[in-house]
């Protein structure tokens, strides 16, 4: 954090932070890791101590800037206490994985203590057969899904006895800025933003002028295309497509489905599509059946999908995503044809000119009242995310990882579905708003049917 710009939240992180004025829009990520044994507590604490040194944002808390002169400030916590963030519980045994998910769902919706760094880790013992689970809870302002997996790869071991790691750096020096310091830094932040904007503008004058002179029609079309793409990203969504999944509450339920990775990849190959499109198609086929069982057929549903803009040069942590909202066709008669349609739509959105403009697009949204942004998100039907996981076995403090599920925030939608690949399994985690999805058994049956239809197409 060498300058004022680095010390403040990015606009995308600030958006996830400010939306939490509405508890239904809490941007909390929960990972539930099934382990073959209970991890060694001392080794686990050593792992996290090292991790919070390598990723200093896990030792920083958020401080609001006076008068909103700049986005909130990251401040190294002078009272950082690793033991406060790490807990251990034992369920009445012998417990099963459903019991773990029941315990985790309350964790998923509980607010963070905003006077401390925004993460928690809980070891859950008491599972049948000597197994255990690890609950990892982080605020979306700290990282996105892919960033989270990059951090995980830096922390875990690759065999049971442990993997050598480089010495951990010194922790960030504690800070205690007062209001005057924060206000002064905010002015510096504002100045750095204006200077950067001016510099980028000057740097683009000659290339832009040359393009206009040599190809005026193409330049006009390009500018119009960017403007249209920005408008598609920022346009308000005023109504739900689903006539069934309409209620929004503060109650959540977590659910999982395991899908063979090789079979889903083969299905994607047969459809000439990506694994992500095969995954989306399975969800859409399941939703077609779910609506049919509720006496209502729909032609399309709107999804929010995080599109990663992370590069190899980005630092660990932070959000490197752009949230795209777009409709997808819904039907169950021909999964392969549907997969091809979905693939074409998704790839089109991935190549939208506005995709790399995440920070610029978040800036005007941060100027709106959070309630306005919340209403835009609450008219999206569901959220879907695909996170590439580890193709090799992972170990945490002597315990082998058997499954790795990610549960993302609903952000006002009926449910979030996140696919996390691990070894040969797609670990599919659902975060359900129980107002929108009150009948888990029916929903589960429909989703499993959707995946079977795609795998067998």
């Amino acid at each position: 954090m060498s300058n004022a710009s680095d010390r403040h939240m990015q606009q995308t992180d600030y958006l996830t932070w400010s939306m939490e004025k509405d508890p239904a829009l809490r941007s909390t990520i929960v990972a539930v890791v099934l382990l073959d044994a209970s991890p060694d507590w001392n080794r686990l604490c050593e792992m996290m101590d090292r991790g919070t040194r390598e990723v200093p944002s896990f030792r920083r808390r958020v401080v609001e800037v006076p008068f909103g002169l700049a986005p909130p400030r990251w401040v190294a916590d002078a009272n950082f206490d690793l033991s406060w963030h790490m807990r251990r519980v034992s369920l009445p045994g012998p417990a099963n994985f459903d019991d773990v998910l029941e315990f985790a769902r309350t964790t998923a919706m509980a607010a963070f203590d905003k006077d401390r760094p925004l993460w928690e880790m809980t070891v859950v013992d008491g599972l049948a057969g000597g197994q255990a689970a690890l609950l990892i809870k982080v605020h979306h302002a700290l990282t996105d899904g892919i960033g989270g997996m990059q951090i995980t790869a830096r922390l875990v071991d690759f065999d049971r006895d442990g993997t050598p790691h480089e010495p951990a750096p010194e922790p960030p020096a504690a800070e205690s800025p007062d209001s005057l310091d924060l206000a002064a830094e905010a002015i510096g932040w504002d100045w750095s933003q204006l200077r950067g904007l001016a510099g980028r503008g000057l740097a683009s004058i000659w290339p832009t002028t040359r393009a206009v002179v040599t190809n005026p029609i193409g330049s006009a079309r390009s500018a119009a295309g960017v403007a249209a793409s920005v408008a598609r990203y920022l346009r308000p969504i005023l109504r739900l497509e689903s006539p069934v999944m309409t209620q929004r509450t503060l109650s959540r339920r977590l659910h999982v489905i395991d899908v063979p990775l090789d079979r889903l990849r083969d299905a994607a190959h047969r459809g000439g599509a990506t694994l992500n499109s095969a995954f989306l198609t399975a969800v859409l086929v399941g939703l077609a059946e779910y609506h049919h069982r509720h006496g209502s057929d729909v032609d399309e549903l709107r999804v929010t999908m995080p599109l990663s803009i992370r590069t190899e040069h980005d630092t660990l942590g932070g959000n490197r995503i752009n949230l795209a909202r777009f409709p997808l066709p819904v039907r169950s008669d021909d999964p392969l044809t549907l997969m091809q349609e979905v693939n074409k739509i998704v790839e089109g959105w991935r190549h939208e000119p506005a995709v790399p403009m995440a920070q610029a697009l978040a800036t005007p949204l941060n100027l709106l009242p959070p309630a306005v942004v919340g209403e835009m998100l609450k008219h999206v039907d569901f959220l879907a995310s695909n996170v590439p996981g580890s193709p090799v076995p992972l170990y945490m403090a002597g315990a082998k990882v058997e499954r790795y599920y990610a549960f993302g925030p609903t952000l006002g939608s009926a449910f979030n579905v996140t696919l996390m690949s691990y070894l040969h399994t797609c670990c599919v985690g659902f975060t359900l708003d129980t107002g929108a999805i009150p009948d888990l058994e029916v929903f589960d049956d429909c989703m499993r049917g959707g995946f079977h239809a795609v795998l067998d197409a």
Side-chain angles (χ1 to χ4, degrees), residues 33-44:
V33 185
L34 180 63
L35 304 172
D36 70 346
S38 184
D40 181 277
W41 180 251
N42 291 331
R43 284 178 60 183
L44 190 68

Side-chain angles (χ1 to χ4, degrees), residues 12 51 59 90 130 150 159 203 235 256 295 320 342 366 381 387 416 424:
T12 49
R59 285 180 177 253
S90 183
Q150 291 177 345
D159 60 60
R235 72 186 187 280
V256 301
R320 301 293 186 271
V342 169
N366 282 325
D381 297 294
V387 181
N416 176 308
H424 304 294

Side-chain angles (χ1 to χ4, degrees), residues 121-279:
M121 175 180 282
T122 305
V123 174
V124 181
D125 289 316
L127 274 68
Q131 291 183 314
L134 195 64
L135 272 56
I136 307 167
K137 175 182 175 180
V138 299
H139 195 283
H140 224 317
L142 285 181
T143 189
D144 54 38
I146 293 178
M149 287 308 300
Q150 291 177 345
I151 293 171
T152 298
R154 294 281 292 271
L155 299 182
V156 300
D157 297 320
F158 297 97
D159 60 60
R160 198 177 294 274
D161 294 331
T163 303
H165 293 275
E166 296 180 2
E170 290 297 315
E175 302 171 87
S176 300
D178 58 25
S179 296
L180 290 177
D181 293 333
L182 292 170
E185 284 188 356
I187 294 172
W189 180 88
D190 293 332
W191 170 246
S192 70
Q193 297 301 300
L194 290 172
R195 186 173 55 188
L197 182 62
R200 290 190 295 272
L202 289 172
S204 65
I205 286 178
W206 167 241
T208 302
T209 302
R210 182 175 61 182
V212 169
V213 171
T214 58
N215 186 12
I217 295 177
S219 297
R221 287 176 176 170
S222 177
V226 172
S229 181
V230 169
R232 283 191 288 272
Y233 260 85
L234 296 180
R235 72 186 187 280
I237 307 299
L238 302 178
R239 68 180 182 88
L240 287 166
E241 300 295 335
S242 172
V244 174
M245 306 183 302
T246 58
Q247 297 297 314
R248 299 292 184 265
T249 68
L250 296 182
S251 180
R252 299 290 180 269
R253 190 165 184 177
L254 305 184
H255 187 62
V256 301
I257 294 177
D258 291 344
V259 179
L261 175 59
D262 291 341
R263 290 192 62 195
L264 189 60
R265 188 179 285 137
D266 289 344
H269 180 73
R270 290 195 301 274
T274 65
L275 179 76
N276 182 66
S277 294
F279 155 60

Side-chain angles (χ1 to χ4, degrees), residues 39 54 84 90-91 130 135 158 167 185 220 242 254 257-258 276 297 328 359 378 386 392 399 412 436 440 447:
E54 292 193 12
W84 193 93
S90 183
L91 299 179
L135 272 56
F158 297 97
E185 284 188 356
S242 172
L254 305 184
I257 294 177
D258 291 344
N276 182 66
D297 295 324
L328 288 172
Q359 303 302 327
K378 289 179 181 179
N386 173 22
V392 299
L440 176 61
M447 285 297 136

Side-chain angles (χ1 to χ4, degrees), residues 23-24 26 102 105-106 108-109 247-254 410 413-415 431-438:
R26 284 179 182 151
E102 178 63 21
R105 77 182 185 95
T106 56
M109 277 305 291
Q247 297 297 314
R248 299 292 184 265
T249 68
L250 296 182
S251 180
R252 299 290 180 269
R253 190 165 184 177
L254 305 184
T410 61
S413 66
F415 66 92
T431 307
L432 306 173
D433 183 326
T434 58
I437 313 289

